[in-house]
Amino acid sequence: MTDIAAGVQRRESRIVRTLKGLALIRESVVGMIGLALVLFWVAMAAFANQIAPFPPNATLYPLAAPGEFVEGMGTFWLGTDHIGRDILSRIIHGSRQVLLYAPLATLCAYLVGIPMGLAAGYRRGATDGVLSFISNVILSFPVLVLYIIIIATIGASGANIVVAVTFASAPGIFRIVRGLVLDLRNREYVFAAETRGETPWRIMLVEILPNARGPLIVDACLRLGYVIITIGVLGFLGLGLPPPDPDWGGMINETRQMAMSFPHMTVFPGIAISSLVLGFNLLADGLREVSLRD
Amino acid sequence: MLIFMVRRFGTMVLTMVVVSLLLFLLLEINIGSVAIKVLGPYSSEEQRNIWLEANGYFEPFYIRYFSWLGNFITGDFGDSIRFKVPVGEILWPRLANTGILGLATMLVVIPLSLVLGVLAGMKEGSNLDRGISVGSIVTTSIPEFASAPLLSAIFVFYLDWLPGTSSMASGFSLVQLVLPAMVLVLYDFGYVTRMTRASMAEVMMTHYIRTAVLKGLPYKTVITRHALRNALIAPFTVIMLQINWLLSGVIVVEFFFAYKGFGALLLEASLTKDIFMIEACAMVAVFVAVATQTIADVGYTYLNPRIRFA
């Protein structure tokens, strides 16, 4: 008797259990490397003003080579670009743009994709048919073609990037959630909730969704990496955030004409974005590894 | 099987119709802006009205849509605003160039990723497997617009082995194809490798493979005769679907290396608001994507006897 009571008391809230599950990441070497890369860039973004040696948009000394020391100014560790802005400072400040818009856009895509997936997987029938067809149509576009058409039509700005990412990513999230729900809806606890007479949305959000969180957390990490690439690509194609504030894709776009003669201008922002994406991909791989272990 | 193919083909046509309607709505619902794009921002109200009248833009929306669709199917895409010639004259040669680039990429990606995936999946958890898996995560984390400058820094700036642009101004040149294809291969092979590895690892766990090993067959025979046949069905689908991703990558690579291909054309058309060119390019891109998806589905059904004979 006391054992059962103690067992009930020891049962922690879902959030605590999820966090404990995520903490298992420390058992995966690959996952820890990923986490370290992500936290590195989060710290860079948080303390950009303190870390960056120069203001990001200031014209200082054009075409400095990496590591060049200029009298009266200091050392440009990664060199400067064609109009004399310090590349290291721009990369550090650029992490802010990426780490603001990528999570925001991913979150919006999940807020649209999850309810759609829940509804389609739980209700099935016509709801599923219509939603699946719509998402198949959107997914049949090559992604970048879709982004280019949307951004070229509605214009390039931070808010519009969030809109475009939501529109293009929600169908993918819809598919994953739908698949998970189709599996989970036949579990006994769902039948129990139905027998208790709970409303469909309560069942979907309280009974089904929390049990689908594992694969969704892994997917979110992969998707964040992919959204970071997308924002970078749009910046690179000149369809991203408006200048002069630095974003990594835009930095490569502005200096790509000089890529063959001054490689440092394009290579370092490229390394920055690749390392952040790699961080999220390794984190996802590590999380998947520890979640499959038991 | 026949019913399946007919249904799959019907879905493909329906998808194309819906996509065409979406594009038409997005780009041509506001006829005033169509006139401005065609005649330029400095055209007068009178000019625009005469042009709209002459081109049937005052007809009801559905009549315009169906006549547009009819023209489209018969290959009449309208005239490019920027080039002042029929869209098809520009589009088809550009598409052929992109086809060459895509083919070159696939010719490297398919053998490379299949071999690496099979090697990794043969012994799950071995050092070779860990190495290949981590390697493929690293390469898929480097987007094309980051690897393109990086590879040109190495092969153009430091080693001076390859040309830095691929405009092919003086005829076709294989050397100029190397860097763009290399960038696409680097980004794309990792995903196919991982999928092949997963498929191979799954097959290696099955009972019939264990039986084959236990009855004393040489390991090589087990792999080539028993495992590969089933393990390579899933990668076929992945490779076909990869063409959809390739169409995105091609835009970045063609833009960076000034390659005169379809992706660069689509991007230029979007930036210069050349709307009939955008429509044609988008429809062609979606057609290629949808067609490869259909082939992937039909091919998968055909290759997998469990479905074929069901």
Side-chain angles (χ1 to χ4, degrees):
Chain A
M1 192 65 197
T2 49
D3 276 3
I4 295 171
V8 170
Q9 274 172 1
R10 234 183 281 128
R11 198 176 149 84
E12 293 142 323
S13 76
R14 243 167 203 158
I15 296 165
V16 174
R17 273 182 289 145
T18 308
L19 287 177
K20 282 200 170 166
L22 290 179
L24 285 176
I25 190 74
R26 65 178 180 273
E27 289 170 19
S28 157
V29 179
V30 167
M32 286 306 282
I33 297 173
L35 188 64
L37 279 170
V38 172
L39 290 180
F40 170 77
W41 283 113
V42 170
M44 284 289 166
F47 302 105
N49 289 328
Q50 287 76 34
I51 299 171
F54 300 98
N57 294 328
T59 306
L60 302 159
Y61 182 84
L63 304 179
E68 192 172 322
F69 177 79
V70 177
E71 202 64 59
M73 285 192 194
T75 311
F76 299 109
W77 291 108
L78 301 183
T80 58
D81 66 7
H82 55 303
I83 52 175
R85 295 172 297 189
D86 180 48
I87 288 176
L88 178 62
S89 305
R90 284 178 74 71
I91 287 178
I92 291 172
H93 277 272
S95 65
R96 288 191 159 184
Q97 305 273 1
V98 178
L99 286 172
L100 171 67
Y101 285 108
L104 189 66
T106 313
L107 183 71
C108 288
Y110 272 92
L111 288 181
V112 175
I114 286 181
M116 283 171 62
L118 285 172
Y122 186 70
R123 291 179 194 271
R124 297 186 290 194
T127 316
D128 183 24
V130 171
L131 289 175
S132 291
F133 183 74
I134 295 173
S135 63
N136 283 343
V137 168
I138 298 173
L139 286 173
S140 68
F141 276 91
V143 261
L144 197 48
V145 175
L146 192 58
Y147 282 118
I148 289 176
I149 295 174
I150 295 176
I151 294 291
T153 312
I154 64 177
S157 72
N160 286 352
I161 287 177
V162 174
V163 171
V165 169
T166 305
F167 187 76
S169 316
I173 297 165
F174 160 81
R175 265 194 188 175
I176 294 172
V177 176
R178 176 182 170 274
L180 290 167
V181 174
L182 280 176
D183 175 33
L184 292 172
R185 74 184 305 284
N186 293 322
R187 299 291 167 90
E188 269 142 15
Y189 54 80
V190 175
F191 291 135
E194 280 169 352
T195 318
R196 283 201 301 274
E198 288 183 11
T199 58
W201 278 105
R202 195 184 145 78
I203 295 174
M204 288 182 229
L205 292 174
V206 178
E207 306 289 339
I208 298 181
L209 184 60
N211 288 296
R213 65 181 186 272
L216 287 182
I217 290 172
V218 174
D219 177 68
C221 284
L222 287 175
R223 208 167 281 280
L224 261 173
Y226 193 68
V227 170
I228 291 168
I229 293 185
T230 302
I231 293 176
V233 169
L234 289 174
F236 168 72
L237 296 176
L239 295 165
L241 305 163
D245 280 342
D247 84 286
W248 295 340
M251 288 172 71
I252 300 181
N253 178 39
E254 286 163 17
T255 52
R256 75 194 149 81
Q257 309 286 2
M258 282 152 281
M260 312 296 166
S261 26
F262 299 100
H264 68 270
M265 296 178 191
T266 51
V267 167
F268 292 124
I271 292 175
I273 197 163
S274 304
S275 66
L276 181 56
V277 175
L278 180 67
F280 280 111
N281 284 348
L282 291 179
L283 191 57
D285 200 57
L287 284 174
R288 192 186 303 134
E289 194 188 308
V290 293
S291 71
L292 287 179
R293 199 170 283 165
D294 44 42
Chain B
M1 185 74 196
L2 188 70
I3 297 167
F4 169 77
M5 281 178 71
V6 169
R7 194 189 294 155
R8 196 64 196 75
F9 191 72
T11 314
M12 174 179 156
V13 173
L14 190 61
T15 307
M16 289 305 297
V17 170
V18 173
V19 166
S20 69
L21 189 61
L22 275 178
L23 270 176
F24 194 73
L25 274 172
L26 191 66
L27 295 166
E28 295 206 24
I29 186 82
N30 181 353
I31 56 172
S33 75
V34 175
I36 293 173
K37 281 169 192 160
V38 173
L39 298 173
Y42 301 110
S43 54
S44 71
E45 194 64 37
E46 193 190 359
Q47 281 174 305
R48 288 177 206 159
N49 280 330
I50 292 172
W51 184 86
L52 287 170
E53 178 71 56
N55 288 281
Y57 273 88
F58 291 120
E59 301 277 343
F61 179 76
Y62 64 94
I63 295 186
R64 277 170 50 213
Y65 171 69
F66 282 114
S67 75
W68 174 82
L69 193 65
N71 286 340
F72 220 96
I73 292 167
T74 52
D76 176 11
F77 302 146
D79 284 2
S80 160
I81 301 167
R82 192 158 72 105
F83 296 100
K84 314 281 182 222
V85 292
V87 165
E89 278 183 31
I90 311 277
L91 182 62
W92 300 126
R94 292 287 199 112
L95 195 61
N97 284 347
T98 296
I100 296 170
L101 180 58
L103 193 69
T105 307
M106 279 303 181
L107 281 178
V108 183
V109 166
I110 293 172
L112 181 71
S113 51
L114 289 187
V115 168
L116 288 178
V118 166
L119 284 177
M122 250 161 51
K123 265 203 163 156
E124 213 184 344
S126 64
N127 283 338
L128 186 66
D129 175 31
R130 293 302 300 164
I132 291 175
S133 296
V134 171
S136 61
I137 296 184
V138 173
T139 55
T140 36
S141 301
I142 308 175
E144 286 107 341
F145 67 91
S147 60
L150 189 66
L151 290 178
S152 15
I154 297 170
F155 290 103
V156 182
F157 184 76
Y158 291 111
L159 297 174
D160 199 16
W161 285 355
L162 294 166
T165 53
S166 310
S167 59
M168 314 241 168
S170 49
F172 179 77
S173 141
L174 198 62
V175 193
Q176 295 190 8
L177 200 62
V178 175
L179 262 182
M182 203 194 288
V183 170
L184 289 172
V185 168
L186 191 71
Y187 185 67
D188 281 333
F189 88 89
Y191 185 70
V192 187
T193 302
R194 286 170 71 79
M195 291 297 138
T196 312
R197 174 196 171 276
S199 172
M200 186 72 186
E202 200 188 315
V203 167
M204 292 306 284
M205 306 264 273
T206 55
H207 293 302
Y208 69 88
I209 293 295
R210 203 167 56 184
T211 312
V213 174
L214 289 179
K215 79 178 180 190
L217 279 184
Y219 196 61
K220 220 171 110 187
T221 320
V222 176
I223 297 291
T224 52
R225 295 286 304 272
H226 296 257
L228 280 185
R229 284 191 182 185
N230 285 302
L232 293 183
I233 297 175
F236 166 78
T237 315
V238 175
I239 288 166
M240 290 308 289
L241 296 181
Q242 200 68 14
I243 291 174
N244 199 335
W245 288 98
L246 202 59
L247 279 172
S248 295
V250 144
I251 298 176
V252 171
V253 167
E254 291 180 351
F255 176 63
F256 187 85
F257 292 105
Y259 186 80
K260 293 242 172 288
F262 169 78
L265 184 68
L266 173 72
L267 181 67
E268 290 158 21
S270 298
L271 294 175
T272 54
K273 310 236 181 273
D274 190 349
I275 65 167
F276 304 122
M277 186 68 91
I278 301 176
E279 289 168 0
C281 287
M283 287 296 278
V284 167
V286 176
F287 176 75
V288 172
V290 175
T292 48
Q293 277 160 21
T294 307
I295 296 171
D297 272 8
V298 172
Y300 182 77
T301 316
Y302 178 75
L303 286 175
N304 194 338
R306 270 171 298 190
I307 304 180
R308 197 192 330 157
F309 297 119

